Amino acid sequence: MADNQLSVHDRPIRTLLGRRFAAALACLALVATAACGSRIDTSTTDQVTTPAPVPPTSETPTPKGTLEQMTLAVREEAERMIGGPHAELEVTCPDIRGDKTCDAVFRGHRVRFDLEIKGATSTRVTYDITTEQRFLTKENLHRSFYKSVVDNANGKAPDPDEQLRCDMVPDVSVKTIGKEKLASLGLRCFHYDGTFTKERHVKSSGAHLVFSSEP
């Protein structure tokens, strides 16, 4: 049989080899941004599953006094860090005559917030809130990463053969973010889409989490 003629048995084999060669070339082309195959250390990472819904925000009466307004502003910022309202979150602000600094405590962990008046009307004061630390909860880390994957897929949930994992973290911790607008938390999350493993670095943008391909 001539070399350029394939038997019915040869064709599937050569087709399979051709597909594997094409996949290898695609892998090399993407090696700068993603690792081929599932390359996630399961001993140092936790699986990210479909998250529970964010708890609904309870109706809060409109704060009347300045102290109440300060407390509510800090509470809302802390809630964004932990992933939503929580009965165990405590916020304490001093009397208005003192420094505009408030403490939020969640499950024994404390974060201090500094407030600067941004604007005021006859009934409401608004604040710029800054802090050099933030709460980090495992639940909110996983929920935020899952959401980022879904958003990047135009709303499509991951398929069953995909893997989402993040570096192991305590249920609650406090991370230093300094004064950077986008601070690295020294953590990574991973998305194996069935072909490639994409590594994402976890960063803090204010009270929100950002997942970046850049360290």
Side-chain angles (χ1 to χ4, degrees), residues 7-82:
S7 71
V8 293
H9 300 292
D10 291 333
R11 289 171 187 166
I13 295 174
R14 295 200 178 184
T15 299
L16 177 60
L17 291 175
R19 288 175 179 171
R20 289 181 176 176
F21 182 70
L25 288 178
C27 180
L28 289 173
L30 293 174
V31 72
T33 57
C36 299
S38 178
R39 300 187 178 184
I40 309 174
D41 187 349
T42 57
S43 68
T44 60
T45 58
D46 286 318
Q47 183 178 4
V48 176
T49 57
T50 305
V54 176
T57 303
S58 57
E59 293 187 8
T60 304
T62 302
K64 297 180 180 179
T66 304
L67 182 59
E68 292 179 354
Q69 293 179 29
M70 289 172 59
T71 303
L72 178 61
V74 171
R75 177 175 293 278
E76 290 175 344
E77 188 77 356
E79 286 176 348
R80 282 188 281 270
M81 292 179 176
I82 66 176

Side-chain angles (χ1 to χ4, degrees), residues 8-208:
V8 293
H9 300 292
D10 291 333
R11 289 171 187 166
I13 295 174
R14 295 200 178 184
T15 299
L16 177 60
L17 291 175
R19 288 175 179 171
R20 289 181 176 176
F21 182 70
L25 288 178
C27 180
L28 289 173
L30 293 174
V31 72
T33 57
C36 299
S38 178
R39 300 187 178 184
I40 309 174
D41 187 349
T42 57
S43 68
T44 60
T45 58
D46 286 318
Q47 183 178 4
V48 176
T49 57
T50 305
V54 176
T57 303
S58 57
E59 293 187 8
T60 304
T62 302
K64 297 180 180 179
T66 304
L67 182 59
E68 292 179 354
Q69 293 179 29
M70 289 172 59
T71 303
L72 178 61
V74 171
R75 177 175 293 278
E76 290 175 344
E77 188 77 356
E79 286 176 348
R80 282 188 281 270
M81 292 179 176
I82 66 176
H86 202 289
E88 295 180 62
L89 176 64
E90 300 177 0
V91 177
T92 304
C93 293
D95 185 273
I96 188 59
R97 292 186 296 269
D99 295 334
K100 295 179 179 63
T101 300
C102 301
D103 287 331
V105 178
F106 183 59
R107 295 182 178 174
H109 298 271
R110 182 184 304 273
V111 170
R112 175 155 290 185
F113 295 85
D114 296 316
L115 292 83
E116 181 178 344
I117 294 178
K118 181 179 180 180
T121 65
S122 59
T123 59
R124 188 68 185 263
V125 179
T126 56
Y127 298 93
D128 279 327
I129 302 174
T130 58
T131 179
E132 295 191 16
Q133 293 183 312
R134 63 157 294 144
F135 293 112
L136 179 71
T137 67
K138 179 189 293 188
E139 182 179 18
N140 191 44
L141 172 65
H142 288 194
R143 180 187 287 118
S144 299
F145 182 55
Y146 186 94
K147 182 179 184 301
S148 75
V149 171
V150 172
D151 288 346
N152 288 333
N154 296 317
K156 182 180 179 294
D159 292 329
D161 61 341
E162 298 185 40
Q163 294 181 38
L164 276 67
R165 302 186 72 91
C166 288
D167 286 338
M168 290 180 177
V169 295
D171 289 340
V172 183
S173 59
V174 171
K175 292 288 186 179
T176 298
I177 56 177
K179 297 181 179 180
E180 297 181 59
K181 292 184 178 180
L182 190 62
S184 173
L185 299 184
L187 300 169
R188 296 166 301 165
C189 288
F190 305 88
H191 176 206
Y192 172 62
D193 63 6
T195 305
F196 304 103
T197 298
K198 301 173 184 177
E199 179 179 298
R200 294 292 179 259
H201 298 269
V202 186
K203 300 183 179 183
S204 176
S205 175
H208 302 286

